[in-house]
């Protein structure tokens, strides 16, 4: 299966933070009951950072399968 840009970036987020998909509330501080997860804002920031890395450093050096041409 071929992954889209968005799927690759999301996978990068999970690689960087294994708890990327877990919800954490703003009031769940370091001493709270929940010690894993990200708030929606943290998740958005991480995704934007991974997208920037992908767009600037990875995508220019790769070719998606559906974009390749046969010579």
């Amino acid at each position: 299966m071929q992954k889209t840009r968005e799927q690759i970036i999301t996978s990068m987020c999970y690689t960087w933070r294994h708890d990327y998909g877990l919800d954490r509330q703003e009031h769940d501080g370091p001493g709270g009951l929940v010690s894993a997860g990200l708030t929606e804002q943290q998740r958005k920031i991480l995704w934007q950072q991974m997208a920037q890395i992908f767009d600037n450093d990875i995508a220019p050096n790769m070719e998606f399968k559906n974009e390749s041409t046969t010579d």
Side-chain angles (χ1 to χ4, degrees):
M1 182 180 106
Q2 181 177 325
K3 289 186 176 183
T4 65
R5 172 186 176 269
E6 289 73 20
Q7 290 171 322
I8 293 169
I9 293 168
T10 300
S11 180
M12 291 170 63
C13 291
Y14 277 106
T15 299
W16 193 255
R17 289 286 306 255
H18 69 280
D19 58 351
Y20 175 76
L22 298 176
D23 290 331
R24 183 177 194 158
Q25 303 302 315
E26 291 290 337
H27 63 282
D28 292 336
L33 295 175
V34 178
S35 61
L38 295 117
T39 63
E40 186 62 34
Q41 182 66 20
Q42 290 171 324
R43 192 175 291 111
K44 182 185 239 182
I45 290 168
L46 179 58
W47 202 93
Q48 290 171 341
Q49 290 172 333
M50 293 297 132
Q52 184 176 11
I53 291 169
F54 180 82
D55 292 338
N56 292 336
D57 298 316
I58 298 171
N61 297 296
M62 66 180 285
E63 191 174 288
F64 284 98
K65 289 180 181 178
N66 65 348
E67 294 175 0
S68 64
T69 58
T70 53
D71 295 318

